[in-house]
Amino acid sequence: MSEKYIAQPDLGFIAQVRGLGGETLKKCFQCATCSVACPIAPEDSPFPRKEMIAASWGLKDKLIGNGDIWLCHQCGDCTDLCPRGAAPGDVLSAVRSAAITEYATPKALAKAVNDPKKLPFLIGIPAVWFAILAFITMNFGDTMTKIFNALFGGGLGGRLNWSHAHEGVEHVIAHANFVSTWFVDMTFIPTAGLVTIVFLLALKRFIDDIHNNAVLEGKTDKTSVDYKALVQAFFRVIPTVLKHEKFNECEANKERATPHMMVLYSFIGLFIVTAVCGMMLYLGNYPGPYPQLNPIKWLANIAGVALVIGSGIMIKNRLDNKDQVTAYKDWFILGVVFILGLTGLLTEMARLAHLEYVSYFIYWVHLIAIFNLFAFLPFSKMAHLVYRLVAMSYAEYGNRR
Ligand code: SF4
Ligand code: SF4
């Protein structure tokens, strides 16, 4: 028998969900049409009706650690059919945004990513940082050479040498001559490490909460999570995600699957490009730029074009679909992804057109976009990819289909 649940309404949480795009939540009169209409909801205890009542009562604990909110793919089928205009798909999206903020640390940064007034800081801080790094790279090469020699003494067979990344590329436009590859890596590698730690801590709390809710609701009798089985479930879920099978079950916004897939595969392609370029630089002693016919260049260009087109279609769909709420958080991440892809392509085009300083300027904007994407990953809408993957894995692990 499940434990007694004592309702503790949280008015602040209701206001938060409303502010994140769920302002219609109080319109729900619990007819359950949405749960019947949802093509994804499991038969046992389907969403989103139960989440709508929990949201309108401000039952934060019931929602934040509820894996079902992440199984929803915001297709909008339920919103289309809701007789009260309560837009359950948008309410669940707002609850997911609140959950990302709740699990993220530090909270101040999570709130800043949700606050349009803080946007100048989110852009301005990396803008100033990369401008300083560009100034040093372009004006203090000799000083940096001495510092590197003093620190590393030409370690790793001469690879830990300041000028290493620039050898042979002084007379062509190479972005390492604008912001040193060392500086780029010294910025992004620690950032990636910090983001990974923040994310892992958040995911640990998230998994504990999903599991505790499942225990409370009598969906499992296991007192603790079997992480080995959860990881196995994760690998079983990967093909579903790659094929976007859940998206394809939707009707109202079925067309969302294609641009979503384009963006996902672009990131996979760009990840491969970054990994190969990093290995070629540090292990193969090859700094680039790569010739146009090199397969890595092909992959980078195709992924860049797909990223621009995919995110561009997503922006257009949001602008066209007046019935679907698009919160600031959605615009922030869509804008960052689109600018990231566009500046990546324009940087390359300006370089090929021998517009050196135009290329450097666009590359500077590109670095700012990369920083905004990665440094704020656990706090931005992008985090939903990871939370959804974990929630889908937990549902698979718990046989909730
Ligand atoms: S959200 Fe709409 S469809 Fe769902 S239970 Fe409430 S009123 Fe009915
Ligand atoms: S938006 Fe789509 S996936 Fe989400 S609850 Fe509604 S019908 Fe289900």
Side-chain angles (χ1 to χ4, degrees):
M1 205 167 96
S2 59
E3 288 176 34
K4 190 163 77 177
Y5 181 79
I6 300 168
Q8 291 178 315
D10 183 334
L11 298 182
F13 180 67
I14 295 174
Q16 185 187 7
V17 172
R18 284 183 140 161
L20 290 168
E23 50 276 331
T24 48
L25 67 89
K26 288 282 185 186
K27 289 187 179 176
C28 173
F29 66 170
Q30 288 293 296
C31 69
T33 304
C34 50
S35 289
V36 176
C38 179
I40 294 172
E43 284 180 18
D44 174 32
S45 190
F47 56 84
R49 185 201 63 84
K50 60 187 169 58
E51 283 70 24
M52 289 301 286
I53 195 164
S56 61
W57 278 58
L59 303 181
K60 181 176 174 181
D61 295 346
K62 279 282 217 188
L63 285 169
I64 293 293
N66 174 356
D68 281 6
I69 64 170
W70 295 99
L71 301 185
C72 161
H73 282 53
Q74 209 184 354
C75 66
D77 287 9
C78 56
T79 297
D80 264 15
L81 293 171
C82 172
R84 289 278 293 161
D90 295 336
V91 172
L92 284 200
S93 173
V95 171
R96 287 192 290 272
S97 293
I100 289 173
T101 306
E102 184 68 23
Y103 287 113
T105 312
K107 290 272 176 294
L109 196 48
K111 284 183 181 154
V113 176
N114 276 320
D115 184 353
K117 291 195 208 99
K118 300 287 189 307
L119 186 61
F121 294 102
L122 301 189
I123 294 172
I125 291 170
V128 171
W129 175 246
F130 288 116
I132 292 170
L133 298 184
F135 183 75
I136 297 172
T137 303
M138 297 182 91
N139 295 287
F140 295 97
D142 291 344
T143 312
M144 292 310 298
T145 300
K146 284 179 195 153
I147 293 173
F148 263 64
N149 284 342
L151 285 176
F152 306 116
L156 276 187
R159 288 191 177 86
L160 294 180
N161 183 318
W162 170 255
S163 63
H164 160 75
H166 311 274
E167 275 171 16
V169 295
E170 287 85 357
H171 303 300
V172 295
I173 302 171
H175 299 108
N177 293 334
F178 171 59
V179 177
S180 160
T181 312
W182 290 112
F183 281 155
V184 172
D185 291 347
M186 283 173 193
T187 302
F188 285 113
I189 291 174
T191 304
L194 267 177
V195 163
T196 305
I197 292 168
V198 166
F199 233 137
L200 288 177
L201 291 173
L203 289 177
K204 172 77 177 77
R205 291 198 298 275
F206 175 57
I207 293 169
D208 287 347
D209 283 356
I210 306 183
H211 184 71
N212 290 340
N213 267 324
V215 172
L216 267 177
E217 290 169 10
K219 289 177 188 157
T220 178
D221 52 7
K222 292 179 188 158
T223 49
S224 59
V225 180
D226 177 351
Y227 279 93
K228 187 177 168 201
L230 184 59
V231 170
Q232 287 167 345
F234 168 82
F235 285 110
R236 289 199 299 279
V237 156
I238 293 287
T240 307
V241 174
L242 291 179
K243 287 189 254 172
H244 272 46
E245 284 172 359
K246 296 292 176 190
F247 269 104
N248 289 323
E249 288 175 37
C250 301
E251 285 299 328
N253 291 311
K254 203 172 185 147
E255 71 281 0
R256 281 179 59 217
T258 305
H260 218 271
M261 275 177 112
M262 288 173 85
V263 170
L264 176 66
Y265 283 105
S266 302
F267 277 123
I268 293 172
L270 292 172
F271 175 77
I272 294 169
V273 169
T274 308
V276 171
C277 289
M279 283 192 285
M280 287 302 292
L281 174 62
Y282 291 110
L283 303 177
N285 218 3
Y286 180 67
Y290 285 65
Q292 289 302 318
L293 292 179
N294 188 294
I296 277 298
K297 184 63 101 179
W298 274 79
L299 180 59
N301 288 339
I302 291 169
V305 169
L307 191 63
V308 172
I309 295 175
S311 57
I313 295 173
M314 285 163 99
I315 290 172
K316 184 178 178 306
N317 287 347
R318 292 267 177 178
L319 289 170
D320 288 348
N321 190 352
K322 306 283 182 226
D323 295 333
Q324 184 183 21
V325 174
T326 302
Y328 167 73
K329 199 166 186 160
D330 300 310
W331 289 128
F332 174 80
I333 200 64
L334 282 172
V336 167
V337 171
F338 183 73
I339 291 169
L340 179 77
L342 190 65
T343 52
L345 290 178
L346 290 178
T347 300
E348 175 73 1
M349 287 159 80
R351 188 176 72 78
L352 293 176
H354 303 289
L355 300 172
E356 184 174 10
Y357 285 92
V358 174
S359 181
Y360 288 165
F361 174 76
I362 302 170
Y363 181 60
W364 174 65
V365 179
H366 187 62
L367 288 173
I368 297 166
I370 297 176
F371 188 87
N372 267 267
L373 184 76
F374 285 105
F376 308 136
L377 199 62
F379 319 108
S380 74
K381 179 78 186 272
M382 205 70 181
H384 84 281
L385 286 176
V386 179
Y387 283 101
R388 178 168 290 145
L389 192 54
V390 171
M392 286 172 74
S393 304
Y394 188 88
E396 171 71 18
Y397 157 81
N399 249 342
R400 180 156 171 72
R401 297 180 184 130

